[in-house]
Amino acid sequence: MEKVSLAWAMCNNVFDPPGVLVSVLLLAPISTAVLCLALLAKGQATLALALPVLLAGATWVWFQFVYMAHEPASKQEEYIEFKDLNAAKTWQGRRIPISTLCELYLEDQIVFKGDVLEALRNRHEFVNYKLTLSVARFLILQIFPNHENSSQKDLSSTKNEIVKHYDRGNDWFASFLGPSMVYTSAVFHGVQQTLEIAQDNKMSLICDKLQLKEGETLLDIGCGWGSLTRHAAKHYNAKAVGVTLSVEGAKFCIEAAKQQKLDKKVEVMCMDYREIGTECKFEKISSIEMAEHVGLKNFQLYLGNIRRMLTDDGMFLMQVAGLRQGSDWEDVAWGLFMSRYIFPGADASTPLNWYIEQLERAGFEVHSVETIGRHYSHTIHRWYDNFQKNRKEMEAKYGGYLCRLWDFFLAWSVIAAGQGSASCYQILAHKNTKSFPRDIFCEEGIAKTSVGVSRKG
């Protein structure tokens, strides 16, 4: 039920889409069941049995002929072409729910005329953001325990989730991440910068915000391919430990550290964050776009483990990809797409206020928050361009379906991050104790670690 609670918390009013979805998919059926039981208790069995049938029939008629009524899309043919006759018969010349558009593209029933990103930039000409039966089924399955529920967060389920996504092959990820092999938002000092420079900027920014010093220990939870650990060891002379569940990622980390002669300063542990010994202590801890995968139910466990491993005067930086508070139907459609197709277990992707509350409940004091969502849009645009350059090779090895999914994922994510449907936050925190040395934030030069500060002279 954590997802239901979060849906309500994401609403600014009861008519916001998350609240409407909870009401329609959960509260309405429960209310109907309660009413039927009440009728049965009064001896009105016939009415009790007929009521759900009548309501279901009325709902189906409304859905088919009112909600999903034909909406003309006169410019549709400028952006898509139908390959499947049945799909054309159903959708040609009318607005297509964007979730259906995605399904048609994945199943190779349509093609985009020209670039997918450019077509989606003009999506308002030919799509809508209505809830389809396919998406409704997915949502209902997320409420109750079942094998299709993406919220299973035991050790085995989490490992399987990581294997399915991150162990596809390092060549797949290199095809869009580029040489830096960093699967998180970069920070651009001018949009003309290359992706590799922007990723270096981000990693330095993280180390600077943590005030990482020579000889200190850094734990990076969810280290991916280890780029941040190597950066900290090379440029800050720190002792860096990376933790990942990805076998392929761990192999890459170890080999890259050896090649750069950093293997004495960089250690990689292939394990779940719950398996890290809490007797281990670190002066600095980072978790860069990994917390979303922890799950709503386990978030306090995750933060509690981090707090126990952090020294009393240490600092923790969490970078998370989150969602807009008071989301509209387009925002919701994008979030459901990501949950369904790309990161099924990342249900702890939320508005900023939820993360702050969780940190404070876990005994942290939040020092600073920085939104780098627009940087994420530019980052993903670079990933999209990289992928298009390598697409033919990837399709030959991994097949058309996965490549079409990545076309859609990267293109739509460029837009979502650019317009604020999704965002990315860097949150710096430390233990909320009276003895924490807070004067470190008053020292000369510390404020210069912000990407939002204008520097003159």
Side-chain angles (χ1 to χ4, degrees), residues 76-92:
Q76 182 194 81
E77 64 180 12
E78 295 181 20
Y79 305 105
I80 62 173
E81 179 181 340
F82 289 92
K83 297 174 68 176
D84 181 83
L85 292 178
N86 289 329
K89 183 178 179 180
T90 304
W91 295 110
Q92 196 161 44

Side-chain angles (χ1 to χ4, degrees), residues 136-184:
R137 177 186 179 277
F138 168 76
L139 278 170
I140 292 170
L141 289 174
Q142 304 313 300
I143 299 173
F144 309 102
N146 62 85
H147 72 281
E148 293 188 48
N149 189 317
S150 64
S151 294
Q152 304 302 315
K153 287 297 179 181
D154 56 273
L155 289 171
S156 177
S157 297
T158 302
K159 185 173 180 62
N160 289 336
E161 174 190 322
I162 295 301
V163 167
K164 287 179 181 178
H165 187 87
Y166 290 95
D167 283 348
R168 283 193 173 107
N170 290 331
D171 62 333
W172 170 262
F173 290 97
S175 72
F176 63 96
L177 299 180
S180 61
M181 289 297 282
V182 181
Y183 202 4
T184 56

Side-chain angles (χ1 to χ4, degrees), residues 293-312:
H293 300 272
V294 167
L296 298 169
K297 189 175 182 179
N298 287 341
F299 215 84
Q300 281 299 307
L301 171 65
Y302 159 75
L303 291 177
N305 284 359
I306 289 173
R307 195 178 190 280
R308 284 190 291 273
M309 291 186 290
L310 189 65
T311 59
D312 289 343

Side-chain angles (χ1 to χ4, degrees), residues 105-106 115-116 168-178 183 195 379-411 414:
Y105 183 57
L106 294 182
D115 183 67
V116 177
R168 283 193 173 107
N170 290 331
D171 62 333
W172 170 262
F173 290 97
S175 72
F176 63 96
L177 299 180
Y183 202 4
L195 176 61
T379 301
I380 302 170
H381 201 317
R382 302 300 200 282
W383 294 347
Y384 178 83
D385 290 342
N386 285 343
F387 186 68
Q388 296 310 308
K389 292 174 185 176
N390 297 299
R391 195 183 187 285
K392 286 185 179 179
E393 182 182 348
M394 291 300 103
E395 185 170 358
K397 182 173 181 180
Y398 292 96
Y401 181 93
L402 185 58
C403 287
R404 289 190 294 275
L405 176 58
W406 240 245
D407 291 338
F408 208 90
F409 155 49
L410 294 175
V414 171

Side-chain angles (χ1 to χ4, degrees), residues 86-362:
N86 289 329
K89 183 178 179 180
T90 304
W91 295 110
Q92 196 161 44
R94 62 184 293 193
R95 290 185 178 273
I96 308 173
I98 199 163
S99 61
T100 301
L101 181 77
C102 174
E103 292 168 4
L104 293 173
Y105 183 57
L106 294 182
E107 298 302 328
D108 203 23
Q109 295 180 22
I110 63 169
V111 291
F112 287 98
K113 294 182 177 179
D115 183 67
V116 177
L117 176 56
E118 286 308 307
L120 290 184
R121 288 193 191 280
N122 293 283
R123 65 201 177 282
H124 299 309
E125 301 284 356
F126 61 96
V127 307
N128 60 40
Y129 304 100
K130 292 182 176 180
L131 184 73
T132 65
L133 293 176
S134 175
V135 175
R137 177 186 179 277
F138 168 76
L139 278 170
I140 292 170
L141 289 174
Q142 304 313 300
I143 299 173
F144 309 102
N146 62 85
H147 72 281
E148 293 188 48
N149 189 317
S150 64
S151 294
Q152 304 302 315
K153 287 297 179 181
D154 56 273
L155 289 171
S156 177
S157 297
T158 302
K159 185 173 180 62
N160 289 336
E161 174 190 322
I162 295 301
V163 167
K164 287 179 181 178
H165 187 87
Y166 290 95
D167 283 348
R168 283 193 173 107
N170 290 331
D171 62 333
W172 170 262
F173 290 97
S175 72
F176 63 96
L177 299 180
S180 61
M181 289 297 282
V182 181
Y183 202 4
T184 56
S185 178
V187 170
F188 290 82
H189 299 171
V191 295
Q192 77 284 352
Q193 287 190 323
T194 65
L195 176 61
E196 286 65 44
I197 291 175
Q199 291 291 10
D200 277 348
N201 295 342
K202 186 271 301 292
M203 291 186 286
S204 291
L205 180 64
I206 289 169
C207 294
D208 289 343
K209 285 186 174 182
L210 286 169
Q211 299 183 36
L212 186 62
K213 298 179 179 62
E214 182 175 348
E216 286 189 328
T217 53
L218 168 69
L219 173 66
D220 185 30
I221 302 176
C223 69
W225 292 268
S227 299
L228 177 58
T229 58
R230 294 191 299 278
H231 187 90
K234 181 178 180 180
H235 298 287
Y236 292 79
N237 204 20
K239 170 64 177 176
V241 178
V243 175
T244 178
L245 260 178
S246 169
V247 174
E248 291 299 314
K251 289 178 181 177
F252 186 98
C253 292
I254 294 168
E255 185 58 34
K258 286 181 180 178
Q259 290 178 358
Q260 297 179 32
K261 299 185 179 359
L262 296 170
D263 47 308
K264 292 183 178 180
K265 295 181 180 179
V266 174
E267 179 184 352
V268 179
M269 299 189 294
C270 191
M271 62 176 62
D272 190 277
Y273 72 92
R274 288 164 283 191
E275 298 173 314
I276 307 171
T278 52
E279 71 280 359
C280 301
K281 294 292 182 181
F282 299 88
E283 285 128 324
K284 307 293 161 64
I285 298 179
S286 59
S287 185
I288 312 304
E289 296 179 40
M290 175 272 183
E292 303 91 317
H293 300 272
V294 167
L296 298 169
K297 189 175 182 179
N298 287 341
F299 215 84
Q300 281 299 307
L301 171 65
Y302 159 75
L303 291 177
N305 284 359
I306 289 173
R307 195 178 190 280
R308 284 190 291 273
M309 291 186 290
L310 189 65
T311 59
D312 289 343
D313 60 350
M315 284 190 279
F316 169 49
L317 190 141
M318 181 172 72
Q319 181 170 309
V320 286
L323 302 173
R324 189 203 304 269
Q325 178 73 24
S327 299
D328 63 19
W329 286 107
E330 181 181 1
D331 301 338
V332 168
W334 181 83
L336 292 176
F337 162 78
M338 293 294 289
S339 180
R340 188 177 182 184
Y341 292 104
I342 308 301
F343 298 118
D347 59 3
S349 191
T350 76
L352 174 62
N353 62 77
W354 189 86
Y355 297 118
I356 303 303
E357 179 185 357
Q358 293 298 312
L359 283 162
E360 292 182 338
R361 283 180 54 197

Side-chain angles (χ1 to χ4, degrees), residues 16-28:
D16 281 345
V20 172
L21 289 175
V22 171
S23 299
V24 170
L25 298 177
L26 185 63
L27 297 185

